[in-house]
Amino acid sequence: MAEKILMPRLSDTMTEGVIAAWHKKVGDSVKKGDLLAEIETDKATMELESYKDGTILYLGAENGGKLQVDDLMVIVGDAGEDISGLVNGKSGSTEQPKEEKKAEEPAKTEEKTVEKPAAPAASSSVDVSKMEEVVLMPRLSDTMTEGVIASWAKILATI
């Protein structure tokens, strides 16, 4: 089933984003974590990764194009899938998924809160005093409380 990716709000003050560069085009297959585009915001240029496996079926703007926050940016689905209802009903169908996502977010936050106490126990076997340098997760926005590491550029050597 095709899934819409909307222009994300990447900072508290962001109202629109500019597509600095697309890294995929319509018809390209993508996997979860693949780089889709670079988005220029009012504060920085950020990378947008796919969170779904599939084929790019629709791009909402060309390179240099502006999209408002929550505008339809990309549709990812199965090759040949009919997306006319998602594209044509852009304003009506965009509002419904936002409400669904907002309803799901508190549940996810509660689940993560339950899981957090287990995480330190697993990492407590690592003795950070023997490490040369400890790098903490940076706060990338005022409202950021957690982050996901999509990939590591360097692999930890065995100590």
Side-chain angles (χ1 to χ4, degrees):
M1 184 171 125
E3 189 164 334
K4 299 188 307 184
I5 299 176
L6 307 178
M7 174 62 78
R9 181 180 305 274
L10 299 170
S11 73
D12 291 342
T13 58
M14 179 180 167
T15 58
E16 68 181 12
V18 175
I19 306 298
W22 283 109
H23 291 271
K24 301 288 182 181
K25 61 185 184 297
V26 173
D28 287 353
S29 87
V30 293
K31 294 187 184 227
K32 186 177 179 179
D34 283 357
L35 181 60
L36 294 178
E38 294 175 30
I39 303 169
E40 291 179 3
T41 71
D42 56 340
K43 298 194 182 279
T45 300
M46 312 278 284
E47 294 178 341
L48 176 72
E49 295 178 354
S50 177
Y51 54 84
K52 180 177 176 15
D53 293 344
T55 301
I56 301 291
L57 302 175
Y58 174 84
L59 298 178
E62 298 293 323
N63 285 342
K66 291 182 181 180
L67 290 172
Q68 298 298 312
V69 170
D70 293 333
D71 277 355
L72 178 59
M73 194 171 150
V74 182
I75 297 177
V76 178
D78 297 326
E81 189 172 352
D82 180 23
I83 57 165
S84 58
L86 294 174
V87 176
N88 294 337
K90 186 163 93 172
S91 61
S93 59
T94 300
E95 291 177 17
Q96 185 178 3
K98 282 194 298 186
E99 292 171 6
E100 289 174 5
K101 286 181 185 176
K102 287 180 182 176
E104 290 174 9
E105 285 177 11
K108 288 181 182 178
T109 304
E110 290 171 14
E111 289 173 15
K112 290 177 184 173
T113 305
V114 172
E115 292 173 10
K116 283 184 181 179
S123 63
S124 63
S125 62
V126 176
D127 185 4
V128 293
S129 66
K130 294 183 181 181
M131 293 184 179
E132 196 168 307
E133 185 176 350
V134 175
V135 179
L136 302 175
M137 174 67 77
R139 181 179 296 256
L140 300 175
S141 74
D142 293 340
T143 58
M144 179 179 168
T145 57
E146 62 183 44
V148 175
I149 298 170
S151 64
W152 287 100
K154 301 287 182 180
I155 298 174
L156 178 66
T158 307
I159 298 177

